[in-house]
Amino acid sequence: MKNCILLTLMFLLISCAPAPKAPTMAIAQTLDVNSATKQNTSPTNNISANANLEMIGRVLVYTSNSVYIANSDGSTPVLIHAVESPLTMLSLSPDGTKFAYFQGNYVYIQDVKTRNIKPLNQKIIGSIGGELRWSHDGTKIVLSCSTVDEPASSGSICLIDVNSGQIEILIREKDLMSARSPYTTYFIELEDWSRDDSKIIFTYFSPSEKGQKQDFEIYIYDMPSKTIRKILDSKKQDVITQIGSVAISPDNKTLLLSGNDTDSSFQLFQIDLGVNILSQLTRSVIYSFSNPVWGSNSSYFYAYVKQNTPSPKGGAAILDMTGNIVSFLNIKGAVVEWIK
């Protein structure tokens, strides 16, 4: 939930050299998103006994003190990184050989086999948090950041070359041309990078107090055309009061969203990108849902599910596209990424 900033954005000193000129970007007109709420008739508090899902690949699992890689069902977890302090951005390369994480103004790359760790960037960078993602060929990393040359208080979306450490600014606040209040602080945060590297998902939001409707926008940046498309404007819908995280499906047709609904419950939503229809996927008084992560295909996903009880218990679960819980994973922590 973006009611607080996970990492303090470092307000870096402006270099004496002139900042590089921003590339010209075409931005699609704001699309009206219908706030049609999908009534989930299947009870999300029941666990489906069987599901015909293609459960292949592996998952990256994050706990308070460890990072594991496990089978797609959570079995056979293998420790790859011990956490000394909380990590808000972490990702495993598509081939599973390199573990990347952000800490103390640096992106670090750890060799999973040798455990050797080295910093990626040469100059310090700041970040408000969000996600960190590898390109499908393992040569690039994208994240929210602010650099010495681009010390934007709102942050930017940065692309880092894994071999050279060179940083390219892809998206800046001025590229959005958003009609937001100049007296309110907004932040740009990376949400996801499609598995074919063609689309970057990010949010532009202002932190808000719990119980207040948040001001946010969801965008897709198209890598081949270098254009930006606004997908959702919070002011044009009444379904989500506060946004959590956003993930794009493997076929690039659907966005999964976590956020507070009108009952102040953390639930899951989806956007059909073909028709831009926003609908509520889960509606449960027993569970709260967060951190959706797509599985091997677009028919199922992982989410962190927590019981709404005085002594809440939570765990990673697999859900189908009707919002039903297929099964819980027999592992502590949250699934943060699917790996081929």
Side-chain angles (χ1 to χ4, degrees):
M1 185 187 301
K2 295 176 173 61
N3 59 340
C4 63
I5 301 302
L6 300 179
L7 287 179
T8 302
L9 182 64
M10 300 299 296
F11 296 97
L12 304 172
L13 296 177
I14 301 176
S15 172
C16 294
K21 185 176 180 181
T24 302
M25 293 185 183
I27 301 180
Q29 295 295 320
T30 301
L31 300 176
D32 292 332
V33 180
N34 296 325
S35 300
T37 302
K38 174 183 173 183
Q39 186 67 35
N40 187 5
T41 56
S42 300
T44 58
N45 58 329
N46 287 342
I47 301 174
S48 302
N50 297 292
N52 188 20
L53 304 176
E54 188 183 3
M55 299 294 297
I56 61 174
R58 297 169 292 173
V59 290
L60 192 67
V61 180
Y62 178 54
T63 71
S64 59
N65 56 14
S66 305
V67 180
Y68 297 89
I69 187 169
N71 293 331
S72 58
D73 60 358
S75 63
T76 320
V78 176
L79 176 69
I80 64 170
H81 185 81
V83 178
E84 297 178 356
S85 58
L87 299 176
T88 56
M89 291 188 285
L90 62 156
S91 182
L92 195 66
S93 61
D95 62 5
T97 64
K98 299 289 191 300
F99 174 63
Y101 61 95
F102 182 86
Q103 193 172 52
N105 303 117
Y106 287 90
V107 175
Y108 291 93
I109 305 294
Q110 174 185 315
D111 186 290
V112 172
K113 184 177 180 179
T114 66
R115 300 294 178 94
N116 291 332
I117 301 174
K118 64 177 182 179
L120 176 58
N121 51 299
Q122 299 175 356
K123 297 181 180 180
I124 65 172
I125 59 177
S127 180
I128 64 169
E131 300 297 333
L132 183 153
R133 290 287 183 263
W134 290 80
S135 59
H136 77 281
D137 61 2
T139 63
K140 308 283 186 181
I141 285 177
V142 68
L143 74 160
S144 310
C145 82
S146 180
T147 69
V148 173
D149 297 325
E150 292 277 347
S153 59
S154 61
S156 307
I157 301 297
C158 302
L159 187 70
I160 306 182
D161 187 285
V162 174
N163 295 318
S164 67
Q166 183 177 355
I167 301 174
E168 176 187 357
I169 307 296
L170 294 180
I171 302 159
R172 301 165 174 83
E173 184 177 26
K174 61 183 178 181
D175 297 325
L176 305 182
M177 296 189 297
S178 179
R180 259 41 191 180
S181 170
Y183 307 105
T184 303
T185 302
Y186 290 86
F187 297 94
I188 295 174
E189 186 172 283
L190 176 73
E191 299 292 345
D192 203 3
W193 195 1
S194 63
R195 292 180 186 172
D196 63 359
D197 293 349
S198 67
K199 303 181 188 306
I200 288 176
I201 316 302
F202 67 96
T203 50
Y204 182 59
F205 70 97
S206 177
S208 62
E209 298 295 331
K210 185 177 181 180
Q212 295 181 353
K213 186 178 179 181
Q214 189 178 40
D215 189 2
F216 68 88
E217 297 171 329
I218 299 174
Y219 290 89
I220 290 182
Y221 174 76
D222 184 75
M223 292 286 285
S225 65
K226 300 186 186 302
T227 57
I228 297 176
R229 173 188 172 195
K230 186 187 292 185
I231 300 301
L232 179 64
D233 188 330
S234 64
K235 294 181 178 180
K236 296 187 176 182
Q237 58 84 42
D238 296 313
V239 179
I240 304 172
T241 58
Q242 293 210 2
I243 190 68
S245 58
V246 186
I248 188 168
S249 60
D251 61 9
N252 294 342
K253 294 181 179 181
T254 307
L255 292 185
L256 279 177
L257 293 71
S258 62
N260 270 341
D261 63 8
T262 53
D263 295 326
S264 298
S265 175
F266 222 61
Q267 299 293 322
L268 296 173
F269 307 82
Q270 64 178 353
I271 296 177
D272 184 326
L273 294 175
V275 293
N276 263 27
I277 297 284
L278 170 67
S279 58
Q280 188 161 347
L281 190 60
T282 63
R283 187 188 296 274
S284 174
V285 296
I286 298 177
Y287 296 121
S288 294
F289 302 85
S290 60
N291 194 45
V293 173
W294 290 93
S296 59
N297 56 47
S298 303
S299 66
Y300 74 98
F301 60 93
Y302 302 88
Y304 190 77
V305 181
K306 186 173 66 174
Q307 289 182 323
N308 296 325
T309 60
S311 299
K313 296 181 179 180
I318 300 170
L319 289 83
D320 62 26
M321 289 311 299
T322 64
N324 286 324
I325 298 174
V326 176
S327 64
F328 283 92
L329 274 62
N330 188 25
I331 187 173
K332 293 182 179 179
V335 172
V336 295
E337 199 170 31
W338 178 87
I339 307 297
K340 187 175 180 179

